[in-house]
Protein backbone atom coordinates (compact mmCIF):
# COMPACT_ATOMS: atom_id res chain seq x y z
CA UNK A 1 0.00 0.00 0.00
CA UNK A 2 1.45 3.39 -0.97
CA UNK A 3 2.09 6.00 1.69
CA UNK A 4 -0.66 8.27 0.35
CA UNK A 5 -3.22 5.44 0.67
CA UNK A 6 -2.95 5.35 4.46
CA UNK A 7 -5.43 7.54 6.32
CA UNK A 8 -3.77 10.74 7.45
CA UNK A 9 -2.58 11.32 10.99
CA UNK A 10 -4.40 14.28 12.36
CA UNK A 11 -4.74 16.10 15.48
CA UNK A 12 -3.15 18.22 17.91
CA UNK A 13 -3.17 21.74 19.10
CA UNK A 14 -0.14 23.37 20.67
CA UNK A 15 -0.11 26.93 21.98
CA UNK A 16 2.63 29.10 23.44
CA UNK A 17 1.73 32.21 25.43
CA UNK A 18 4.33 34.74 26.60
CA UNK A 19 3.25 37.31 29.16
CA UNK A 20 4.84 39.07 32.12
CA UNK A 21 8.22 37.34 31.94
CA UNK A 22 6.70 33.85 31.75
CA UNK A 23 6.05 31.56 28.82
CA UNK A 24 3.62 28.65 28.89
CA UNK A 25 3.36 25.97 26.23
CA UNK A 26 0.28 23.76 26.34
CA UNK A 27 -0.71 20.86 24.14
CA UNK A 28 -3.62 18.49 23.95
CA UNK A 29 -3.25 14.73 24.08
CA UNK A 30 -5.30 13.44 21.16
CA UNK A 31 -3.80 11.34 18.40
CA UNK A 32 -6.13 10.37 15.58
CA UNK A 33 -5.78 8.05 12.61
CA UNK A 34 -8.36 9.07 10.05
CA UNK A 35 -11.60 9.43 11.98
CA UNK A 36 -10.50 7.21 14.85
CA UNK A 37 -9.00 8.43 18.11
CA UNK A 38 -5.99 6.23 18.77
CA UNK A 39 -4.87 7.83 22.02
CA UNK A 40 -6.25 10.62 24.17
CA UNK A 41 -3.36 11.24 26.52
CA UNK A 42 -0.24 11.68 24.39
CA UNK A 43 2.41 14.04 25.77
CA UNK A 44 3.29 16.55 23.04
CA UNK A 45 4.96 19.16 25.23
CA UNK A 46 8.40 18.38 26.62
CA UNK A 47 11.04 20.05 28.74
CA UNK A 48 14.58 19.70 27.38
CA UNK A 49 17.66 20.47 29.46
CA UNK A 50 20.76 20.17 27.28
CA UNK A 51 23.74 21.30 29.32
CA UNK A 52 21.48 22.50 32.14
CA UNK A 53 19.80 25.06 29.89
CA UNK A 54 15.99 24.64 30.07
CA UNK A 55 13.89 24.77 26.92
CA UNK A 56 10.25 23.81 26.52
CA UNK A 57 9.09 22.42 23.18
CA UNK A 58 5.68 21.43 21.84
CA UNK A 59 5.12 19.57 18.60
CA UNK A 60 2.38 18.98 16.08
CA UNK A 61 2.53 16.39 13.35
CA UNK A 62 3.98 12.92 13.20
CA UNK A 63 5.20 11.83 16.64
CA UNK A 64 8.21 9.89 15.35
CA UNK A 65 9.19 12.85 13.17
CA UNK A 66 8.78 15.26 16.07
CA UNK A 67 11.00 13.13 18.31
CA UNK A 68 13.68 13.07 15.61
CA UNK A 69 13.48 16.87 15.45
CA UNK A 70 13.60 17.24 19.24
CA UNK A 71 16.76 15.11 19.34
CA UNK A 72 18.31 17.33 16.66
CA UNK A 73 17.26 20.45 18.54
CA UNK A 74 18.90 19.14 21.71
CA UNK A 75 22.12 18.55 19.78
CA UNK A 76 21.98 22.09 18.36
CA UNK A 77 21.38 23.50 21.84
CA UNK A 78 24.38 21.58 23.17
CA UNK A 79 26.49 23.06 20.35
CA UNK A 80 25.12 26.56 21.04
CA UNK A 81 24.36 26.68 24.79
CA UNK A 82 21.99 29.42 25.85
CA UNK A 83 21.32 30.45 22.23
CA UNK A 84 17.83 29.18 21.41
CA UNK A 85 17.40 31.30 18.29
CA UNK A 86 20.74 30.24 16.82
CA UNK A 87 20.10 26.57 17.61
CA UNK A 88 16.63 26.87 16.05
CA UNK A 89 18.00 28.47 12.87
CA UNK A 90 20.64 25.73 12.60
CA UNK A 91 17.92 23.08 12.99
CA UNK A 92 15.73 24.79 10.38
CA UNK A 93 18.65 24.95 7.93
CA UNK A 94 19.33 21.24 8.38
CA UNK A 95 15.63 20.43 8.13
CA UNK A 96 15.37 22.35 4.86
CA UNK A 97 18.49 20.94 3.21
CA UNK A 98 18.93 17.37 4.52
CA UNK A 99 17.18 14.76 2.33
CA UNK A 100 16.18 12.64 5.35
CA UNK A 101 14.94 15.58 7.43
CA UNK A 102 13.00 17.08 4.51
CA UNK A 103 10.56 14.19 4.75
CA UNK A 104 9.72 14.87 8.39
CA UNK A 105 6.19 16.12 8.90
CA UNK A 106 5.99 18.15 12.09
CA UNK A 107 6.19 21.67 13.46
CA UNK A 108 7.66 22.87 16.75
CA UNK A 109 7.00 25.68 19.20
CA UNK A 110 10.04 26.27 21.42
CA UNK A 111 10.89 28.66 24.24
CA UNK A 112 13.64 29.33 26.73
CA UNK A 113 11.44 31.71 28.72
CA UNK A 114 12.77 34.74 26.83
CA UNK A 115 12.10 33.85 23.21
CA UNK A 116 9.05 32.12 21.76
CA UNK A 117 9.67 30.58 18.32
CA UNK A 118 7.92 28.43 15.73
CA UNK A 119 10.16 26.14 13.66
CA UNK A 120 8.88 24.68 10.39
CA UNK A 121 10.14 22.25 7.79
CA UNK A 122 10.11 25.03 5.22
CA UNK A 123 13.18 26.46 6.92
CA UNK A 124 11.28 29.07 8.92
CA UNK A 125 12.09 30.22 12.43
CA UNK A 126 9.30 32.61 13.31
CA UNK A 127 8.88 34.87 16.32
CA UNK A 128 5.11 35.32 16.50
CA UNK A 129 3.37 38.65 16.84
CA UNK A 130 1.39 39.38 19.98
CA UNK A 131 3.50 36.89 22.02
CA UNK A 132 1.31 33.93 21.05
CA UNK A 133 2.18 30.99 18.82
CA UNK A 134 -0.19 28.17 17.91
CA UNK A 135 0.19 25.18 15.60
CA UNK A 136 -1.73 22.07 14.68
CA UNK A 137 -5.25 21.34 13.58
CA UNK A 138 -6.83 23.57 16.22
CA UNK A 139 -4.05 26.14 16.24
CA UNK A 140 -6.00 28.95 14.62
CA UNK A 141 -8.86 28.55 17.07
CA UNK A 142 -6.52 28.59 20.07
CA UNK A 143 -4.61 31.56 18.64
CA UNK A 144 -7.76 33.64 18.17
CA UNK A 145 -9.03 32.79 21.65
CA UNK A 146 -5.70 33.60 23.30
CA UNK A 147 -5.38 36.92 21.47
CA UNK A 148 -8.78 37.92 22.80
CA UNK A 149 -7.57 37.26 26.36
CA UNK A 150 -4.10 38.85 26.27
CA UNK A 151 -5.27 42.26 27.53
CA UNK A 152 -6.96 40.74 30.58
CA UNK A 153 -5.38 40.10 33.96
CA UNK A 154 -5.20 36.35 33.27
CA UNK A 155 -1.86 34.60 33.65
CA UNK A 156 -0.19 32.94 30.65
CA UNK A 157 -1.27 29.54 31.97
CA UNK A 158 -4.88 30.66 32.39
CA UNK A 159 -4.88 32.07 28.85
CA UNK A 160 -3.34 28.90 27.39
CA UNK A 161 -5.78 26.62 29.23
CA UNK A 162 -8.84 28.67 28.24
CA UNK A 163 -7.68 28.93 24.61
CA UNK A 164 -7.09 25.17 24.47
CA UNK A 165 -10.56 24.51 25.91
CA UNK A 166 -12.09 26.64 23.16
CA UNK A 167 -10.03 24.88 20.48
CA UNK A 168 -11.12 21.48 21.86
CA UNK A 169 -14.77 22.52 21.56
CA UNK A 170 -14.31 23.42 17.88
CA UNK A 171 -11.64 21.09 16.46
CA UNK A 172 -12.53 17.38 16.37
CA UNK A 173 -8.81 16.51 16.35
CA UNK A 174 -8.16 18.29 19.67
CA UNK A 175 -9.14 17.16 23.16
CA UNK A 176 -9.08 18.62 26.66
CA UNK A 177 -6.33 16.35 28.04
CA UNK A 178 -3.55 18.93 28.44
CA UNK A 179 0.15 18.93 29.11
CA UNK A 180 1.26 22.35 30.30
CA UNK A 181 4.85 23.48 30.87
CA UNK A 182 5.82 26.91 32.23
CA UNK A 183 9.22 28.56 32.04
CA UNK A 184 10.45 31.96 33.11
CA UNK A 185 13.24 34.06 31.66
CA UNK A 186 16.69 32.90 32.80
Amino acid sequence: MAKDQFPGWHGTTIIGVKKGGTVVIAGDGQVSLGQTIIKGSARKVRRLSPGGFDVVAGFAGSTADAFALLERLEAKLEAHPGQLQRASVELAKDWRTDKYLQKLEAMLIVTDGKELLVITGAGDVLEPEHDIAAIGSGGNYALAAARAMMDTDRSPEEIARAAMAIAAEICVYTNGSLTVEEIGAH
Side-chain angles (χ1 to χ4, degrees):
M1 189 177 267
K3 180 182 176 183
D4 59 0
Q5 291 176 314
F6 285 102
W9 286 92
H10 290 286
T12 211
T13 301
I14 304 292
I15 189 165
V17 178
K18 179 180 174 183
K19 185 177 179 186
T22 301
V23 182
V24 169
I25 296 183
D28 80 307
Q30 184 167 306
V31 176
S32 305
L33 179 59
Q35 296 179 352
T36 304
I37 297 170
I38 301 297
K39 185 173 184 173
S41 61
R43 186 172 167 82
K44 302 172 198 170
V45 177
R46 308 251 177 207
R47 186 174 293 268
L48 312 173
S49 296
F53 179 72
D54 279 348
V55 170
V56 175
F59 63 85
S62 165
T63 304
D65 292 356
F67 282 128
L69 291 167
L70 290 174
E71 286 177 12
R72 295 277 182 137
L73 177 60
E74 277 190 298
K76 297 296 182 187
L77 287 165
E78 287 172 1
H80 307 287
Q83 299 178 58
L84 178 62
Q85 190 167 44
R86 182 167 180 196
S88 297
V89 168
E90 292 299 320
L91 173 64
K93 286 192 314 192
D94 287 356
W95 194 353
R96 180 79 174 144
T97 58
D98 183 278
K99 286 186 181 212
Y100 164 74
L101 292 178
Q102 284 177 355
K103 296 178 181 171
L104 300 183
E105 297 179 6
M107 290 180 75
L108 301 173
I109 294 178
V110 298
T111 184
D112 59 1
K114 294 179 282 188
E115 297 179 286
L116 177 62
L117 305 170
V118 176
I119 309 171
T120 75
D124 298 316
V125 176
L126 307 168
E127 188 170 7
E129 292 184 337
H130 311 290
D131 292 330
I132 305 165
I135 57 175
S137 56
N140 287 336
Y141 307 121
L143 176 67
R147 283 198 53 194
M149 292 182 259
M150 283 299 280
D151 290 334
T152 69
D153 62 351
R154 291 182 181 205
S155 72
E157 182 173 346
E158 290 169 329
I159 292 170
R161 286 183 181 278
M164 290 295 292
I166 290 167
E169 289 177 2
I170 299 169
C171 177
V172 297
Y173 298 113
T174 301
N175 71 12
S177 176
L178 299 182
T179 301
V180 179
E181 289 283 347
E182 181 178 303
I183 188 169
H186 299 259

